[in-house]
């Protein structure tokens, strides 16, 4: 089983954390985002969307990190509480996965990684979107009243939210006033060192490229204006 990833990509990190939690072996294949390896026709044979990650399970190709995490749980660990069978708990897990992708990460990524890789500014509108996303997440944690985002144990719903948070931490974004979010995030780090080590690897990359943006002169993105300069 192969997983095509990028080292600082939150969706890739969330998939890797799922494999780690379930103790499922896989071959990790790094995709060079900075030179546009994912935009090639060769990569398009794996994923016509030309996005990362992609799972190759003995010829079965699957993209979209949420689908990958759900598939891995259903096929290889169907009795795991990481993706509970109880309809209510599973609905909450699915909701938090969708919430992260549609609302939380979609607000955070443009303000953090988007401004590192592309010629987009960090402006007041982007900041407001991030604050609004954090406010909603804070409310969900208040309503659920558990240690983690769905239950008092880890589920796959925690992973994408953690990897969204590393984007904020990576640019030293202040989030202390969101006390429940901060407590959940710090609890995850403290109580899950092996899982956190995966996310922390991505965090360190983000911290480095925030200070020293990578050379993207070979990246020809079809939509976004690539930042060509070596510094902000």
């Amino acid at each position: 089983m192969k997983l095509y990833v990028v080292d600082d990509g939150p969706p890739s990190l969330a998939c890797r954390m799922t494999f780690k939690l379930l103790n499922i072996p896989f071959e990790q294949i790094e995709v060079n985002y900075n030179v546009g390896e994912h935009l090639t026709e060769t990569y398009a044979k794996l994923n016509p969307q030309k996005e990362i990650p992609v799972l190759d399970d003995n010829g079965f190709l699957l993209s979209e990190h949420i689908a990958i995490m759900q598939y891995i749980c259903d096929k290889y660990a169907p009795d795991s509480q990481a993706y509970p069978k109880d309809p209510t708990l599973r609905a909450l897990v699915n909701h938090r996965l969708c919430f992260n992708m549609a609302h939380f990460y979609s607000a955070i990524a443009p303000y953090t990684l988007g401004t590192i890789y592309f010629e987009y500014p960090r402006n007041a509108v982007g900041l407001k979107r991030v604050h609004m996303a954090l406010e909603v997440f804070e409310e969900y944690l208040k309503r659920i009243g558990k240690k983690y985002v769905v239950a008092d144990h880890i589920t796959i719903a925690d992973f994408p939210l953690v990897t969204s948070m590393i984007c904020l931490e990576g640019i030293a974004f202040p989030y202390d006033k969101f006390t429940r979010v901060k407590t959940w995030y710090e609890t995850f780090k403290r109580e899950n060192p092996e899982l956190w080590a995966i996310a922390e690897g991505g965090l360190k990359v983000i911290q480095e490229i925030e200070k020293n943006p990578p050379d993207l002169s070979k990246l020809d993105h079809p939509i976004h204006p690539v930042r060509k300069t070596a510094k902000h």
Side-chain angles (χ1 to χ4, degrees):
M1 185 154 46
K2 301 175 182 178
L3 183 66
Y4 293 80
V5 303
V6 61
D7 57 1
D8 64 337
S12 296
L13 295 168
C15 290
R16 289 174 55 199
M17 292 162 79
T18 302
F19 277 100
K20 182 66 176 179
L21 177 67
L22 301 178
N23 196 29
I24 298 172
F26 70 100
E27 179 184 355
Q28 181 173 313
I29 300 176
E30 296 285 343
V31 179
N32 192 333
Y33 183 92
N34 293 356
V35 300
E37 186 179 353
H38 60 301
L39 300 175
T40 64
E41 290 308 310
T42 298
Y43 188 83
K45 293 177 182 178
L46 297 172
N47 181 9
Q49 296 171 244
K50 299 183 179 180
E51 295 177 347
I52 314 164
V54 172
L55 177 71
D56 181 350
D57 186 7
N58 195 31
F60 172 64
L61 298 175
L62 186 64
S63 60
E64 298 294 346
H65 69 286
I66 293 175
I68 292 171
M69 291 189 293
Q70 292 168 331
Y71 168 77
I72 291 300
C73 289
D74 282 338
K75 182 172 182 179
Y76 293 102
D79 296 322
S80 172
Q81 286 302 302
Y83 194 38
K85 290 183 176 180
D86 175 82
T88 301
L89 286 177
R90 178 163 285 210
L92 287 171
V93 170
N94 289 338
H95 173 270
R96 300 305 191 261
L97 291 169
C98 293
F99 161 71
N100 179 73
M101 193 63 191
H103 191 81
F104 198 65
Y105 184 60
S106 67
I108 290 171
Y111 192 80
T112 55
L113 297 177
T115 60
I116 294 173
Y117 284 97
F118 306 112
E119 292 288 359
Y120 295 130
R122 286 182 186 150
N123 55 30
V125 173
L127 178 62
K128 184 175 182 179
R129 288 189 68 208
V130 173
H131 279 154
M132 290 174 65
L134 283 164
E135 287 168 0
V136 174
F137 188 21
E138 181 83 0
E139 179 62 22
Y140 281 137
L141 290 171
K142 178 182 177 181
R143 291 185 183 188
I144 202 70
K146 303 293 184 180
K147 182 187 293 187
Y148 296 108
V149 297
V150 167
D152 285 324
H153 59 81
I154 288 288
T155 68
I156 60 172
D158 290 279
F159 299 155
L161 289 159
V162 166
T163 59
S164 291
M165 287 297 297
I166 69 169
C167 298
L168 296 179
E169 185 176 358
I171 68 165
F173 186 94
Y175 54 83
D176 286 2
K177 71 176 183 178
F178 302 98
T179 56
R180 289 180 176 83
V181 173
K182 181 181 179 181
T183 297
W184 158 80
Y185 187 46
E186 295 301 324
T187 298
F188 184 94
K189 292 181 183 182
R190 183 178 64 254
E191 297 194 359
N192 304 278
E194 292 187 349
L195 296 172
W196 171 244
I198 295 171
E200 187 178 30
L203 169 62
K204 289 178 179 178
V205 173
I206 295 170
Q207 289 171 328
E208 175 59 28
I209 62 176
E210 167 71 2
K211 295 176 182 176
N212 301 292
D215 178 11
L216 301 174
S217 59
K218 295 181 180 180
L219 177 60
D220 183 18
H221 201 283
I223 298 174
H224 300 295
V226 177
R227 182 192 45 72
K228 300 295 185 182
T229 57
K231 297 290 183 181
H232 282 308

